[in-house]
Amino acid sequence: MIPYNPIHLKYRPQTLAQLVGQDIIATTLSNAINGGKIAPAYLFVGPRGTGKTSTARILAKSLNCQSANQATTTPCGECQSCRAIASSHSLDVNELDAASNSGVENIREIVERASFAPVESRYKVIILDECHSLSQAAFNSLLKTLEQPPSNVVFVLCTTEVHKVPLTIISRCQRFDFRRIDTKTITEHLQAIAVAEQIDITPEALQLVAQTSHGCLRDALTLLDQLSNIGTQIADVQVYLMAGTVPEPELLDLLDNISTGNVTACCRIIQKLVEQGKDPSLVYLDILRILKDLLVIKTCPDATELEWQATEKWERLLSLVQHWKAISIQDAIKLLNSSSRQMKQQSSQLWLEVTILELAKIPLPLAANNKPTADPWYSWEYPSDAIAWAHQLLPHLGYRELWEKWNALATINGKKAPAWVKAIEEARFNKQLTTVGKTTSSVR
Ligand SMILES: [Zn+2]
């Protein structure tokens, strides 16, 4: 039986040109290799799963591939050197996981080995993964070697937490920042693999896999691999289940009900999500994410990246955003932020419900279809707000006319706003506005 090769290993890039989503780094390193300008030390910085270690190995292969007489950007993958590096058996390419080998003695041993000439290659390459975990003494020991690097030795330091790496080390390395890979690039890459592996998956599900990975290609590939075992066509519902994420349609329903102040429906949705085993703190973060999307749409009309990410969702976001003023979205985000600490406690479901109830009370302007939300006057501060609201509903009436009607309006239970809403609603159906008594009162 052939041993199973997981997708993320099978499709690991073999050359710099195959690196996904890191074009500038690939170009710069390729030019350095072609121009023979190899630095003694490189520092690869970036989130996990974005290709740092893969690039370090490609660099090692490129420097040592025996199919060429000098360093090459197209290592063959077949020669003894390439194969030894791929299987981690090369005598001249050493990889050290600093997270589990952080002591000074580990670095001393590596540095000592570096002082000998390469055994069978052009370069000795030393890859230090998670290098921020090294002890201070280990960094000091490394520093001496980086100050006076032996010839034909290349250090590649990889880290997800560059702020923990001493400046003295950083300043002696050529630094490359690996970025999170955008959803579009990941989706296109997954699409190519799905075709090659004959994985039957809908375009929506594929895009969801990419979104769920938050820019980490390895996570996306691992999830695709896991999904490929389902056997039937993979749809978005399976992705939500497998990834443990909260289904977007239900989140949008929740936001819809928050927007219309429908507290009962909000509680019902949260209850259902919790019963499905969704973590309340995840639901909380997802609501925050949607509010962020709404704020982006509200404040940057050309939010094309969002539009691309969301197909059906985009339509719903556009409809949702009509309910909200930018200031209301900011208030909602502040409110969520104020309960972030409680969300980490055991009673997180309770706090989520309390927060959602509070959110549903944030004053909102008119709904998209021009039907008033539960209590439109929540957002009114002055009579002019009531007039503006009425003018939106009855644009054929002038402001002067509306003011006259407002001044002539009788209150309901001593309040003028509910009477105004009632009168305007009636007028919308009758297409005319009748005067209801005469009195004066404050807006609320
Ligand atoms: Zn080779």
Side-chain angles (χ1 to χ4, degrees):
M1 197 174 144
I2 306 164
Y4 177 62
N5 197 7
I7 284 180
H8 73 277
L9 294 182
K10 189 172 172 185
Y11 290 91
R12 202 169 212 182
Q14 301 301 322
T15 63
L16 290 168
Q18 288 174 5
L19 268 182
V20 178
Q22 310 293 357
D23 299 352
I24 298 171
I25 293 175
T27 308
T28 315
L29 282 177
S30 298
N31 290 343
I33 291 170
N34 288 333
K37 295 179 186 170
I38 310 300
Y42 292 94
L43 177 64
F44 291 172
V45 178
R48 57 183 199 87
T50 49
K52 300 184 296 297
T53 320
S54 294
T55 308
R57 291 209 187 110
I58 293 172
L59 182 63
K61 282 186 199 168
S62 303
L63 294 177
N64 289 329
C65 180
Q66 291 160 346
S67 73
N69 294 327
Q70 54 186 18
T72 169
T73 50
T74 50
C76 67
E78 302 292 333
C79 70
Q80 196 211 336
S81 168
C82 284
R83 279 189 285 125
I85 293 169
S87 61
S88 306
H89 288 110
S90 170
L91 292 171
D92 295 313
V93 177
N94 300 117
E95 211 174 312
L96 182 84
D97 177 18
S100 46
N101 303 283
S102 58
V104 65
E105 62 283 357
N106 302 109
I107 289 300
R108 273 205 195 114
E109 192 191 323
I110 287 249
V111 163
E112 202 176 296
R113 264 194 259 164
S115 62
F116 297 108
V119 181
E120 50 188 14
S121 317
R122 287 187 286 269
Y123 288 87
K124 260 188 188 288
V125 181
I126 294 160
I127 302 169
L128 290 174
D129 216 359
E130 301 296 338
C131 74
H132 58 268
S133 308
L134 290 177
S135 67
Q136 193 56 49
F139 271 128
N140 288 343
S141 178
L142 181 63
L143 189 60
K144 281 182 208 147
T145 313
L146 291 185
E147 277 170 343
Q148 290 176 320
S151 61
N152 293 346
V153 172
V154 175
F155 281 88
V156 183
L157 282 62
C158 302
T159 178
T160 47
E161 298 179 62
V162 71
H163 57 278
K164 292 185 183 165
V165 180
L167 286 174
T168 45
I169 296 279
I170 296 176
S171 67
R172 283 177 174 79
C173 299
Q174 271 192 22
R175 174 174 167 162
F176 287 85
D177 285 83
F178 287 67
R179 61 186 186 97
R180 275 183 204 285
I181 307 164
D182 63 85
T183 312
K184 191 175 178 189
T185 307
I186 294 187
T187 310
E188 285 165 359
H189 188 61
L190 293 178
Q191 175 69 44
I193 291 176
V195 170
E197 292 289 313
Q198 297 181 324
I199 300 171
D200 189 8
I201 180 166
T202 65
E204 293 76 23
L206 208 59
Q207 196 180 321
L208 203 54
V209 173
Q211 275 173 21
T212 314
S213 67
H214 299 293
C216 173
L217 184 61
R218 189 169 58 223
D219 282 1
L221 293 173
T222 308
L223 182 56
L224 182 67
D225 205 354
Q226 209 177 336
L227 287 161
S228 69
N229 292 319
I230 286 180
T232 55
Q233 192 190 48
I234 305 158
D236 41 9
V237 62
Q238 279 102 346
V239 182
Y240 287 127
L241 274 176
M242 195 79 88
T245 46
V246 184
E248 205 122 59
E250 289 180 47
L251 275 175
L252 291 165
D253 283 348
L254 184 59
L255 258 293
D256 253 342
N257 284 299
I258 291 174
S259 305
T260 50
N262 190 342
V263 171
T264 322
C266 290
C267 290
R268 208 179 297 131
I269 294 173
I270 295 172
Q271 189 66 36
K272 189 177 154 201
L273 290 172
V274 173
E275 277 167 11
Q276 286 170 355
K278 307 297 178 200
D279 183 349
S281 58
L282 270 187
V283 180
Y284 165 88
L285 281 177
D286 281 331
I287 295 172
L288 195 59
R289 198 166 39 77
I290 292 188
L291 285 170
K292 188 256 328 177
D293 286 351
L294 290 179
L295 193 59
V296 172
I297 295 173
K298 199 83 186 169
T299 48
C300 334
D302 56 342
T304 47
E305 173 63 13
L306 269 177
E307 185 175 356
W308 189 88
Q309 286 183 14
T311 41
E312 280 174 44
K313 182 184 158 195
W314 177 249
E315 293 300 317
R316 289 202 62 184
L317 285 177
L318 283 184
S319 142
L320 255 178
V321 83
Q322 306 289 330
H323 291 263
W324 298 75
K325 283 180 186 168
I327 186 96
S328 321
I329 304 174
Q330 284 167 326
D331 284 349
I333 291 172
K334 270 186 219 153
L335 181 66
L336 280 171
N337 189 31
S338 67
S339 53
S340 61
R341 197 167 50 83
Q342 285 94 328
M343 286 311 302
K344 290 176 190 138
Q345 296 171 354
Q346 277 188 337
S347 46
S348 53
Q349 185 189 343
L350 178 65
W351 279 109
L352 178 64
E353 284 172 338
V354 170
T355 312
I356 296 299
L357 296 186
E358 285 286 310
L359 274 182
K361 283 190 347 205
I362 286 187
L364 300 171
L366 282 176
N369 52 7
N370 273 353
K371 275 191 195 142
T373 51
D375 294 323
W377 58 81
Y378 265 119
S379 59
W380 300 349
E381 274 190 72
Y382 305 102
S384 57
D385 296 329
I387 302 299
W389 173 82
H391 187 67
Q392 274 191 320
L393 289 182
L394 301 170
H396 61 284
L397 292 181
Y399 281 98
R400 179 193 285 266
E401 197 176 347
L402 285 167
W403 270 110
E404 279 171 11
K405 305 296 177 195
W406 169 265
N407 290 334
L409 190 68
T411 58
I412 293 179
N413 295 333
K415 290 184 178 177
K416 205 162 191 177
W420 183 244
V421 171
K422 190 162 171 272
I424 298 296
E425 276 294 279
E426 281 169 8
R428 286 181 71 210
F429 289 107
N430 303 331
K431 287 286 171 202
Q432 58 181 358
L433 192 59
T434 48
T435 309
V436 202
K438 192 176 174 110
T439 182
T440 52
S441 151
S442 69
V443 61
R444 297 215 178 167

